[in-house]
């Protein structure tokens, strides 16, 4: 335990790094506060703003909480009408309240016309979209706070990953640059226990930072928006859930799943950073390689995949298989593991993503420790 504490202190006792983490955490809390402060709701001809608007939306949504049916839809539309835009221009503001806005977005062609609709969507649009909300066991509830948390949370986790690369990249490479490995690896404990403690301390610091950040964001969201809507359907936070067949997942289940995937991404990110640290003789090189490797899946998913699609690779017998393999690999890496888009991937991919992520995690830690051990 003493050796672990020493390694943990050596990794985390960097004032600039700690200060940057606290400043970033404060920034994301401020973003959540600004989102809440900008809330707007209308009721009985009166306009509410900020926390008062949130209270109105929560109270109204509570009245219609439960299974979402056409009766619920008609009751909301009959009371509040459909929602459009208050003004034109670049910074448009939605009229109505949470209930009327959700019904308008889900049950009409508002996003196609961007005009206040006169009725529900019809024909193919209704069959493929609106109908999905009122059939089955779709649960209505106030989810605005969880939507905002989800958007801010992912950006915060990406920022945390960048910070973790800066944290873990020097663990082995710093010893190389200082030429202290000859002394540290001269004993049995130096080649066994000390190496394990370095890896454990790095992972422990990453997990603690992740838990602390999540506690702050979750606490701020609960303080501003309350805990309403946790048992509403996750499809209320995005239609991609519906089309992926996960629309009736509860918000609580999805957020718990996303939290676990975020934790897995932190473990994998630290493991990859440790591996790169064991291969680089200088911390700066390890940091550069870590940053490049972290964002590489974005290039693969957003650039290379589209390029291969444009070249007609999908038309070849093995084309889709190769392109699927590319995207499966991308979604198995730290950048995409906690992304909400993971809920929309084909279900057959879910057999591969955990396996690839776990294999990369184990291989990176094992090979990183071996590389450092063999350096001596």
């Amino acid at each position: 335990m003493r050796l672990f504490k020493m390694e943990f202190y050596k990794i985390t006792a960097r004032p600039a790094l700690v200060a940057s983490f606290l400043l970033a955490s404060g920034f994301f809390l401020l973003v959540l506060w600004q989102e809440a402060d900008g809330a707007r709701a209308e009721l009985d001809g009166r306009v509410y703003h900020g926390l008062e608007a949130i209270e109105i939306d929560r109270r109204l949504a509570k009245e219609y909480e439960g299974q979402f049916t056409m009766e619920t839809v008609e009751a909301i539309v009959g009371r509040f009408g459909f929602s459009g835009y208050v003004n034109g221009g670049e910074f448009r503001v939605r009229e109505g309240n949470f209930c009327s806005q959700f019904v308008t977005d889900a049950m009409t062609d508002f996003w196609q016309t961007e005009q206040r609709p006169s009725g529900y969507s019809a024909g193919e649009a209704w069959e493929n979209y609106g109908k999905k909300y009122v059939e089955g066991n779709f649960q209505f509830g106030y989810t605005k706070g969880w939507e905002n948390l989800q958007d801010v949370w992912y950006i915060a986790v990406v920022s945390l990953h960048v910070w973790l690369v800066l944290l873990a990249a020097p663990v082995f490479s710093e010893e190389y640059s200082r030429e202290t490995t000859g002394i540290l690896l001269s004993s049995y404990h130096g080649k066994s226990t000390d190496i394990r403690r370095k890896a454990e301390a790095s992972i422990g610091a990453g997990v603690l930072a992740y838990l602390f950040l999540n506690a702050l964001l979750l606490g701020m969201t609960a303080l501003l928006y309350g805990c309403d809507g946790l048992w509403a359907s996750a499809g209320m936070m995005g239609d991609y859930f519906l089309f992926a067949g996960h629309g009736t997942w509860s918000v609580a289940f999805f957020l718990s799943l996303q939290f676990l995937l975020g934790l897995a991404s932190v473990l994998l990110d630290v493991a990859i950073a440790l591996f790169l640290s064991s291969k680089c003789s200088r911390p700066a090189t390890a940091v550069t390689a870590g940053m490049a490797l972290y964002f590489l899946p974005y290039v693969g998913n957003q650039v290379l995949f589209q390029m291969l699609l444009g070249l007609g690779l999908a038309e070849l017998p093995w084309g889709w298989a190769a392109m699927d393999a590319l995207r499966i690999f991308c979604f198995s890496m730290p950048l995409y593991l906690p992304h909400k888009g993971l809920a929309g991937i084909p279900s057959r991919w879910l057999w591969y993503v955990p396996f690839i992520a776990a294999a990369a995690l184990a291989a990176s830690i094992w090979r990183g420790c071996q590389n450092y051990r063999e350096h001596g």
Side-chain angles (χ1 to χ4, degrees):
M1 182 57 72
R2 185 177 63 86
L3 192 56
F4 173 83
K5 290 179 179 179
M6 288 174 57
E7 293 296 341
F8 187 87
Y9 177 79
K10 188 161 63 174
I11 291 169
T12 57
R14 298 170 184 170
L17 209 56
V18 173
S20 65
F21 174 77
L22 294 176
L23 285 173
S25 300
F27 170 76
F28 291 117
L29 292 179
L30 179 62
V31 171
L32 279 175
W33 165 257
Q34 288 181 324
E35 287 287 335
D37 192 51
R40 181 185 186 278
E42 297 177 9
L43 179 63
D44 299 330
R46 183 180 172 186
V47 179
Y48 300 85
H49 295 278
L51 297 182
E52 195 176 14
I54 291 173
E55 283 302 313
I56 292 295
D57 277 339
R58 289 176 63 190
R59 177 165 61 83
L60 295 176
K62 196 76 174 176
E63 296 179 25
Y64 301 99
E65 202 171 55
Q67 187 164 351
F68 193 62
T69 63
M70 276 308 299
E71 287 76 14
T72 309
V73 173
E74 289 168 357
I76 291 173
V77 173
R79 182 178 178 186
F80 307 116
F82 291 112
S83 169
Y85 286 115
V86 175
N87 57 340
E90 184 178 354
F91 300 102
R92 294 177 293 185
V93 178
R94 286 293 294 274
E95 63 183 2
N97 51 59
F98 175 81
C99 296
S100 63
Q101 289 167 10
F102 177 77
V103 168
T104 302
D105 295 347
M107 312 301 287
T108 73
D109 60 356
F110 173 73
W111 289 118
Q112 285 72 46
T113 64
E114 297 191 339
Q115 301 292 326
R116 186 189 297 109
S118 58
Y120 306 117
S121 56
E124 190 174 327
W126 169 258
E127 291 294 328
N128 295 333
Y129 191 74
K131 185 179 177 181
K132 291 182 180 293
Y133 286 95
V134 292
E135 63 180 10
N137 191 33
F138 192 89
Q139 300 294 311
F140 181 83
Y142 181 70
T143 58
K144 191 63 178 179
W146 307 122
E147 290 177 47
N148 290 340
L149 171 64
Q150 189 184 44
D151 293 337
V152 174
W153 179 84
Y154 180 69
I155 302 301
V157 170
V158 170
S159 301
L160 176 64
H161 281 301
V162 172
W163 184 82
L164 289 174
V165 171
L166 295 172
L167 180 83
V171 170
F172 295 134
S173 58
E174 195 170 51
E175 306 292 2
Y176 299 157
S177 64
R178 292 177 176 176
E179 299 182 351
T180 57
T181 53
I183 299 173
L184 294 174
L185 298 174
S186 60
S187 66
Y188 170 78
H189 286 292
K191 287 191 172 185
S192 57
T193 308
D194 185 42
I195 297 176
R196 290 197 300 272
R197 296 297 176 266
K198 285 180 182 292
E200 291 167 1
S202 303
I203 292 171
V207 170
L208 283 177
Y210 177 72
L211 294 177
F212 179 76
L213 180 62
N214 274 269
L216 287 179
L217 295 177
L218 186 61
M220 188 62 151
T221 303
L223 182 66
L224 295 172
Y225 297 93
C227 296
D228 303 5
L230 280 174
W231 305 114
S233 295
M236 293 202 62
M237 299 195 300
D239 55 17
Y240 52 89
F241 288 103
L242 289 174
F243 296 109
H246 308 313
T248 56
W249 282 1
S250 70
V251 170
F253 176 79
F254 173 71
L255 292 178
S256 299
L257 181 62
Q258 202 169 29
F259 169 79
L260 293 175
L261 289 170
L263 180 59
S265 73
V266 165
L267 296 175
L268 182 55
D269 190 35
V270 172
I272 293 173
L274 287 174
F275 168 75
L276 294 173
S277 182
S278 73
K279 297 292 290 184
C280 299
S281 59
R282 296 184 181 279
T285 308
V287 168
T288 304
M291 296 294 184
L293 201 57
Y294 176 70
F295 289 105
L296 183 63
Y298 180 84
V299 177
N301 187 50
Q302 298 293 330
V303 180
L304 183 57
F305 180 84
Q306 296 299 327
M307 184 179 70
L308 295 176
L309 191 63
L311 291 173
L313 187 67
E315 298 174 7
L316 299 176
W318 48 269
W320 268 120
M323 293 169 72
D324 273 359
L326 171 64
R327 298 197 75 191
I328 289 170
F329 172 79
C330 291
F331 275 96
S332 303
M333 294 295 104
L335 180 64
Y336 281 108
L337 266 180
H339 194 275
K340 61 184 180 181
L342 197 67
I345 67 174
S347 56
R348 66 181 183 277
W349 289 12
L350 298 178
W351 292 98
Y352 304 106
V353 170
F355 174 78
I356 294 173
L361 171 64
S364 296
I365 293 177
W366 176 75
R367 194 61 255 178
C369 292
Q370 283 294 105
N371 289 341
Y372 180 70
R373 183 180 293 112
E374 291 167 3
H375 190 273

